[in-house]
Amino acid sequence: MSKEAKKFLITGNEAIAEAAIQAGCRFYAGYPITPQNEVPTYMSRRMPEVGGVFIQAESELAAINMVFGASAAGTRAMTSSSSPGISLKQEGISYLAGCQLPAVIVNIMRGGPGLGNIAPAQSDYFQATKGGGHGDYRCIVLAPSTVQEAVDLTALAFDLADKYRNPVIVLGDGMLGQMMEPVEKFKMPALPAGRQNLKCKTDKKLWELSGAKNRKPRIIRSLFLGEGVLENWNKALQNKYRKIESEEKRYEGFHLDDSKIILVAYGTMARVAKEAMREARSHGIKVGLIRPISLWPFPAEPFLKLSGKIKRFLVVEMSAGQMIEDVRLAVEGRAKVDFYGRTGGSIPSKEEILRQITLINK
Amino acid sequence: MKKNKQKFFSRPESMYDRLTHYCPGCGHGIIHRLICEAVDELKIREKVIAIAPVGCAVLAYDYWDFDCIEAAHGRALAVATGIKRVRPENIVFTYQGDGDLAAIGTAETIHTANRGENLTVIFVNNAVYGMTGGQMAPTTLLGQKTATTPRGRDNKNEGFPLKISEMLAILDGVKYVERVSVSSPQEIIKAKKAVKQAFQNQVDGLGFSLVEVLSSCPTYWGMKPKQAMDWIKEVMAKRFPLGRLK
């Protein structure tokens, strides 16, 4: 056995960038904004090494539209930003969804609204999971809670984007992006540099634009003026979304069999919630945790299943309460749902969550 | 009838045989055609990827026999950058109106030009927003009445007609800028030359090339087609002088 270490330390932002490269991403366009700057910085160094393209765009709008073009040309493409920048990208994300183009968008969330601050937050949940831009569309949203999971979900994001021809959002926060954690050595072999790597080899894209040689011209569009044409296009999109809902729900459950109180949290918040759960259980309070991994599609089933059996769900978020709305929809009025959250870059502590648990347990 | 007649004029191969949706006297049909002629003559049809704008010409792909994609309003050159960087062997061009290129997309226009992207831009300046009902464009002339300048454009309120081609010509990244018009057969021949040059530059890898075409919008200028063509020549071309800018 090799003496080489199996794990190494890396920040969340850099890990996401390298994971994207390993997943075959060969186009990245971005714009500086804290706390995600390590992603473009890393990409600027790494992309040329693997024959890919890095562009520091003049704006978030330009960045997402460059990704739109690169994706249409058949390459795995990604952009990243943080909350205010993601707001600017919404137009492009809507066009990606409307044209059914795959792309990965990383949002390392910070406090809002407005310029807010640069501290970790989870206040873009609505924007990410409910559409975000104009029109009836959905993005698949994946929420890692560790740096290792950020690596795994970034790779998954590219596969899902291609599989469904749909934008996928990796939703992290400033804590996840900035902190260093050990991750397993990337398993994929180092890719040789060169032009041939620009194209994604994982999937034959019969819609990509490459020039109409020996085939009919291809048109990528989201404008449909004929009567009923757009409605049919939208029905096809909705059918796709139903398929995603039936196949791509992901969550992690802890102590769901015997708990009276179930905490619900995702991303960074889930790590704190898990600690609170452990401590509560050490005091004999039966507490469990549901950690949604896919925020859209939202993993509703475990909530409904547990609704008759438990005393209370306690949703904990680094926001004023956003995911709680999906939890309430999931329980269909059959369970009480409480909330505890903080905003503006403050993270609810283990002690604060324990206090809430104690109040409920009385 | 005489046999072996020599053919002097026909529909370009890369243009579909189809009626357009454009108004009578509109310049878009002519400009579409000039692009197709250039594409045919340079034998690049199989390599072309066109970016259609938001505006009257969004349906350009109904007339062009090559790959096309729609861009969001103003974002055509960002989309073009993404495509061209991924597929440098393809010939990528944007077709943009004055509102698209010189108002909502000004940042994309300037920065794509400044990066010296090896792209071709066909910039159609007809001094109004046609598709939305004839509102003021960045290139609307002073005194010109539009849906949103009912008393005529007044620089005190609306600023001046934006000479974006002149602005672009001073950028180091830009290879070629020329302003032409479609107001007469002679001008159309010159326009054709410029359009072909802008594509040839990309084939040769020379960098960012832009042709501004002064074009007509009789519907929202409130003129007959002939009047509109004369107005380009007598009024518009005075404010937007024709010729090579770089």
Side-chain angles (χ1 to χ4, degrees):
Chain A
M1 207 175 137
S2 162
K3 280 183 181 174
E4 209 183 329
K6 284 180 186 164
K7 291 192 174 184
F8 67 109
L9 275 173
I10 188 167
T11 67
N13 284 337
E14 289 171 308
I16 287 170
E18 182 59 28
I21 299 240
Q22 298 286 335
C25 174
R26 288 297 176 272
F27 186 95
Y28 174 92
Y31 186 89
I33 181 169
T34 308
Q36 62 84 54
N37 291 315
E38 293 76 11
V39 181
T41 305
Y42 189 91
M43 285 298 199
S44 70
R45 177 171 63 76
R46 196 73 173 95
M47 270 299 183
E49 290 176 2
V50 295
V53 177
F54 166 84
I55 304 179
Q56 179 170 328
E58 64 271 26
S59 69
E60 301 282 6
L61 291 167
I64 189 74
N65 282 286
M66 287 172 186
V67 164
F68 179 88
S71 170
T75 293
R76 285 194 157 182
M78 181 174 105
T79 185
S80 64
S81 190
S82 179
S83 310
I86 296 290
S87 294
L88 288 166
K89 289 188 200 290
Q90 292 304 328
E91 174 197 54
I93 297 171
S94 170
Y95 277 71
L96 285 163
C99 293
Q100 299 210 59
L101 288 174
V104 173
I105 300 115
V106 178
N107 181 3
I108 301 299
M109 291 182 283
R110 60 188 247 181
L115 206 46
N117 62 17
I118 57 170
Q122 294 182 323
S123 43
D124 303 346
Y125 178 95
F126 286 152
Q127 186 194 52
T129 60
K130 309 294 176 188
H134 62 283
D136 268 331
Y137 74 90
R138 296 283 184 162
C139 295
I140 297 171
V141 184
L142 304 173
S145 77
T146 65
V147 175
Q148 179 64 57
E149 197 180 25
V151 168
D152 300 339
L153 292 184
T154 300
L156 176 67
F158 281 97
D159 288 343
L160 293 179
D162 276 349
K163 183 177 176 186
Y164 295 103
R165 287 183 60 184
N166 206 69
V168 179
I169 294 172
V170 176
L171 194 68
D173 62 68
M175 180 70 84
L176 182 78
Q178 296 290 319
M179 73 180 173
M180 283 182 125
E181 273 191 314
V183 302
E184 282 171 29
K185 275 264 162 74
F186 291 103
K187 287 185 189 101
M188 285 178 227
L191 294 157
R195 166 76 184 82
Q196 70 275 12
N197 291 323
L198 270 173
K199 279 185 228 166
C200 162
K201 297 246 169 59
T202 56
D203 191 10
K204 203 169 186 196
K205 296 176 172 175
L206 293 173
W207 45 266
E208 68 180 21
L209 302 182
S210 54
K213 191 177 184 179
N214 302 323
R215 61 162 173 79
K216 288 195 164 165
R218 289 172 182 161
I219 298 166
I220 293 181
R221 63 194 295 182
S222 60
L223 176 83
F224 303 99
L225 295 173
E227 196 182 331
V229 183
L230 180 58
E231 185 171 20
N232 285 334
W233 181 259
N234 278 327
K235 276 179 189 163
L237 286 181
Q238 292 302 320
N239 289 340
K240 178 172 85 174
Y241 300 151
R242 297 298 88 75
K243 188 164 188 273
I244 295 170
E245 280 174 337
S246 74
E247 291 179 18
E248 306 299 345
K249 287 174 181 165
R250 289 170 167 82
Y251 72 96
E252 195 180 17
F254 301 89
H255 303 294
L256 301 187
D257 296 336
D258 68 343
S259 292
K260 290 286 152 212
I261 298 166
I262 305 271
L263 300 174
V264 190
Y266 69 93
T268 294
M269 198 63 254
R271 300 168 70 126
V272 185
K274 208 163 150 187
E275 289 304 309
M277 173 190 79
R278 282 188 188 135
E279 186 143 340
R281 290 188 84 87
S282 76
H283 296 310
I285 309 171
K286 290 193 169 173
V287 174
L289 170 68
I290 296 176
R291 179 177 74 88
I293 296 167
S294 62
L295 301 184
W296 191 86
F298 189 74
E301 286 78 5
F303 293 95
L304 192 58
K305 225 170 105 186
L306 290 163
S307 284
K309 301 174 190 164
I310 66 159
K311 184 172 174 153
R312 199 78 56 101
F313 286 105
L314 174 60
V315 182
V316 191
E317 297 180 62
M318 288 142 63
S319 80
Q322 301 195 12
M323 183 173 69
I324 185 175
E325 294 193 2
D326 281 331
V327 176
R328 286 213 164 111
L329 284 170
V331 303
E332 295 180 357
R334 293 176 204 179
K336 285 193 171 171
V337 183
D338 279 4
F339 177 75
Y340 185 73
R342 292 184 67 183
T343 69
S346 300
I347 304 176
S349 66
K350 182 182 73 176
E351 290 71 24
E352 288 167 347
I353 299 171
L354 277 170
R355 215 173 299 142
Q356 297 300 315
I357 290 170
T358 314
L359 284 172
I360 294 169
N361 198 43
K362 264 181 191 165
Chain B
M1 237 168 97
K2 229 173 153 185
K3 275 182 186 175
N4 299 325
K5 279 191 295 185
Q6 206 186 333
K7 205 172 186 181
F8 286 103
F9 193 76
S10 64
R11 177 176 52 81
E13 261 180 54
S14 57
M15 194 162 195
Y16 295 132
D17 187 6
R18 191 177 282 172
L19 287 175
T20 73
H21 69 289
Y22 298 116
C23 303
C26 169
H28 276 310
I30 301 168
I31 303 163
H32 284 14
R33 181 195 167 85
L34 297 183
I35 289 167
C36 290
E37 284 180 1
V39 165
D40 287 355
E41 287 167 25
L42 295 170
K43 298 186 170 53
I44 52 175
R45 191 197 68 85
E46 294 180 338
K47 289 180 168 185
V48 165
I49 300 173
I51 291 99
V54 169
C56 289
V58 64
L59 298 171
Y61 43 68
D62 283 350
Y63 315 119
W64 290 337
D65 187 16
F66 33 75
D67 280 6
C68 288
I69 183 168
E70 288 167 3
H73 199 27
R75 318 286 168 240
L77 280 166
V79 175
T81 297
I83 295 173
K84 185 69 180 181
R85 291 289 191 102
V86 169
R87 296 189 174 275
E89 71 280 10
N90 283 85
I91 301 299
V92 182
F93 80 92
T94 65
Y95 186 100
Q96 299 178 261
D98 35 49
D100 193 70
L101 182 137
I104 198 166
T106 312
E108 283 80 358
T109 303
I110 289 174
H111 286 277
T112 306
N114 196 47
R115 285 193 303 270
E117 301 285 346
N118 189 26
L119 294 167
T120 303
V121 181
I122 307 301
F123 166 34
V124 181
N125 176 1
N126 63 7
V128 284
Y129 284 75
M131 192 182 224
T132 46
Q135 293 87 351
M136 181 188 71
T139 51
T140 293
L141 302 184
L142 290 179
Q144 188 183 340
K145 287 184 179 175
T146 69
T148 49
T149 53
R151 288 166 290 278
R153 183 174 189 167
D154 178 355
N155 63 278
K156 288 195 192 93
N157 198 43
E158 287 97 29
F160 295 88
L162 190 65
K163 292 185 174 176
I164 197 157
S165 293
E166 278 82 350
M167 289 167 63
L168 293 172
I170 64 166
L171 298 177
D172 292 336
V174 172
K175 177 68 192 170
Y176 171 70
V177 184
E178 182 153 358
R179 185 182 287 121
V180 296
S181 106
V182 292
S183 63
S184 70
Q186 291 90 329
E187 293 302 334
I188 291 171
I189 289 168
K190 285 187 210 160
K192 160 69 184 303
K193 260 190 191 164
V195 168
K196 192 172 172 184
Q197 186 64 51
F199 279 101
Q200 183 68 54
N201 288 349
Q202 187 178 163
V203 171
D204 297 341
L206 296 180
F208 191 89
S209 299
L210 178 143
V211 179
E212 175 178 343
V213 188
L214 302 188
S215 183
S216 52
C217 183
T219 301
Y220 290 113
W221 292 355
M223 294 179 196
K224 290 179 178 167
K226 168 76 169 66
Q227 262 183 305
M229 289 302 180
D230 291 343
W231 192 77
I232 295 178
K233 207 179 194 170
E234 288 154 19
V235 183
M236 210 177 162
K238 296 229 162 73
R239 310 289 168 88
F240 292 102
L242 303 181
R244 186 152 177 181
L245 294 159
K246 189 168 192 175

